Amino acid sequence: MRDHDLAPGRPERRLTTKETAELLGVKPETVYAYVSRGLLGSRREPGSRASTFDAQEVTALARRNRREAAGPSGSATDLSVRTGITLIEEDRYYYRGVDATELATRHSFEEVAEWLWTGEPTPGAAFFAPETTVEAARRAVNSLPEHTTTTDRLRVAAIAAATEDPLRFDLSEDAVLGAGRLLVPTLVAALPQNRPDHRDDGPLARRLWTRLSGRAPDGAGLRVLDTALGLLADHDLAASTLAVRVAASARAHAYAAVSAGLGALEGPLHGAASGLAHRLLLDVLDQGTAGPVIAAELRAGRRVPGLGHRLYAGEDPRAQALFRLLEEIPRAEPALLAARDIVATTARHTPLHANVDLALAVFTVSCGMPASAGETVFAVARTAGWIAHALEEYGERPLRMRPSGQYVGPKPPQPLPYP
């Protein structure tokens, strides 16, 4: 334990691990992580295996954590979040330090998800949900009207799965990992099959295929789908991931945190962007050239979907990886040529590169999937990243994401609005 300058005659006060965790607003496991990093000292009392902590040192660490959360200005407005999950750097991105595109192209989506969650390799990882959970999710989804969006169905399935899990409020690492391994396959199983005669087993990508296409799955197509799931599993603090972390900061359980992410994902600027690129690609294929289609988009004041990304100066590495695989599929050639025409036509005025939404659109168009298929792939994939971020956030001080509003309304006091 570190030495402390205690006031003369003042007894040294010791805290238990539970008391220390409560004062710091973290889990007991995080307290021991502080010890291993040298941020806290600990001592075992004679005749006991339990560790105790100096109250003054714990209080000082709590104050320091609050200052760091508040930022240099002293107000909690800095939304920068320390994370060990995904790094985006120099037109590449990494999952826990490993090149994400290499990981996703060489390993199954389930193995990628386990790496994001635990940082440990899990060869042959497979996700299956109990039949009772799947049936509850299917009943809930089947009760929705036909015009319901895919994301709405997934959100309802997540809520139904939560009601079947009496331990959902257990936020320990093992419990949250169990919820993730159950929730991802439940989301897929709850969606209606296009091929009901097909066996609903095997890798997750194969099960998802039957929800997206009426065509029989083939090896090349399944490889693209499985890789796409791995590539989309996480992408740092995108809007939906931030929503998940805010929910987790309030200690919402994993199912509720994922539901928050699905709500943010439904916006046209996030998960739904692939559907817009899908429709654009169909228009170009119908017209035979991108020129008039791009002109119509620009005349309507719309941004051309599937192009550019604020985090990459060059081409989106996720798009690069998918295009390489799609080039090996003969039936994808027309859509690939149309996508290249879109990029080349738009580049005459604005040098924008293809992003993952356009690559997903090439895949979904080539495989006879609906425009909503890309959003479904995005949502199922990103659930893995959301679980990883929820796990990470549960180890932080609760309710730390509380920015202060900058009031710009009428200066008070104002008269009451009613006589």
Side-chain angles (χ1 to χ4, degrees):
M1 179 180 172
R2 301 172 185 169
D3 294 330
H4 297 282
D5 295 325
L6 299 176
R10 181 178 178 180
E12 180 186 26
R13 182 166 174 252
R14 310 292 301 175
L15 300 177
T16 65
T17 302
K18 181 180 179 182
E19 290 171 332
T20 301
E22 289 175 351
L23 185 59
L24 293 172
V26 298
K27 296 188 295 186
E29 294 89 336
T30 306
V31 173
Y32 293 111
Y34 284 150
V35 173
S36 65
R37 287 156 52 192
L39 298 176
L40 269 183
S42 66
R43 186 175 73 195
R44 287 187 178 179
E45 300 301 322
S48 173
R49 298 180 61 186
S51 297
T52 63
F53 305 85
D54 180 85
Q56 292 184 22
E57 187 179 19
V58 173
T59 302
L61 179 59
R63 288 198 198 101
R64 186 161 68 250
N65 285 349
R66 286 194 293 270
R67 285 196 302 270
E68 290 178 358
S73 64
S75 60
T77 57
D78 183 7
L79 289 181
S80 176
V81 177
R82 289 177 297 180
T83 176
I85 300 171
T86 298
L87 170 67
I88 300 174
E89 188 176 64
E90 297 180 355
D91 286 348
R92 308 300 301 169
Y93 73 120
Y94 305 86
Y95 291 158
R96 298 194 182 278
V98 174
D99 188 287
T101 57
E102 290 188 20
L103 188 68
T105 52
R106 298 184 184 183
H107 296 275
S108 71
F109 167 65
E110 293 94 323
E111 291 172 340
V112 172
E114 289 285 352
W115 175 256
L116 281 174
W117 294 344
T118 68
E120 297 288 339
T122 312
F127 297 158
F128 292 95
E131 191 60 31
T132 54
T133 302
V134 171
E135 283 304 314
R138 282 177 176 162
R139 285 195 303 271
V141 169
N142 291 340
S143 69
L144 298 172
E146 289 187 11
H147 64 265
T148 304
T149 67
T150 299
T151 306
D152 280 335
R153 289 189 173 96
L154 293 174
R155 193 157 53 236
V156 168
I159 294 170
T163 64
E164 286 291 312
D165 185 358
L167 303 180
R168 61 188 179 276
F169 296 103
D170 182 353
L171 303 185
S172 66
E173 182 176 348
D174 287 344
V176 175
L177 287 173
R181 293 170 184 137
L182 176 153
L183 180 56
V184 174
T186 298
L187 294 180
V188 174
L191 296 174
Q193 286 201 64
N194 287 298
R195 296 176 57 86
D197 59 324
H198 190 78
R199 288 179 57 187
D200 202 17
D201 58 7
L204 194 87
R206 187 179 185 86
R207 283 173 268 161
L208 181 58
W209 179 283
T210 65
R211 272 80 182 172
L212 302 176
S213 177
R215 299 179 183 177
D218 60 86
L222 284 174
R223 187 186 178 200
V224 175
L225 178 55
D226 192 41
T227 301
L229 288 167
L231 292 170
L232 292 167
D234 193 54
H235 206 234
D236 195 31
L237 287 182
S240 57
T241 304
L242 180 59
V244 168
R245 293 199 73 129
V246 171
S249 178
R251 296 304 182 255
H253 56 70
Y255 302 90
V258 166
S259 183
L262 287 167
L265 188 72
E266 199 165 17
L269 300 181
H270 196 12
S274 61
L276 301 177
H278 179 106
R279 295 182 183 93
L280 178 75
L281 202 57
L282 288 178
D283 287 344
V284 173
L285 287 168
D286 184 57
Q287 293 277 346
T289 180
V293 178
I294 299 300
E297 291 290 313
L298 297 177
R299 184 177 183 181
R302 293 189 292 263
R303 177 184 175 187
V304 180
L307 299 178
H309 196 289
R310 60 181 296 186
L311 298 181
Y312 300 113
E315 190 172 38
D316 186 335
R318 301 169 297 177
Q320 289 179 329
L322 288 180
F323 283 142
R324 282 194 294 268
L325 293 177
L326 288 163
E327 286 168 357
E328 300 174 8
I329 303 177
R331 67 171 181 272
E333 185 177 2
L336 274 171
L337 292 174
R340 289 170 183 154
D341 192 11
I342 291 171
V343 174
T345 301
T346 310
R348 298 174 194 170
H349 305 285
T350 307
L352 293 175
H353 298 274
N355 62 32
V356 72
D357 297 316
L358 188 59
L360 262 185
V362 171
F363 168 68
T364 55
V365 167
S366 302
C367 296
M369 298 175 180
S372 61
E375 183 176 352
T376 306
V377 174
F378 200 112
V380 171
R382 193 54 57 89
T383 299
W386 292 338
I387 293 294
H389 280 273
L391 267 170
E392 195 172 61
E393 190 60 38
Y394 290 144
E396 299 288 348
R397 177 174 56 83
L399 293 175
R400 67 187 181 125
M401 296 187 187
R402 176 59 171 88
S404 298
Q406 185 178 358
Y407 180 73
V408 295
K411 185 177 181 180
Q414 294 287 322
L416 292 174
Y418 302 105

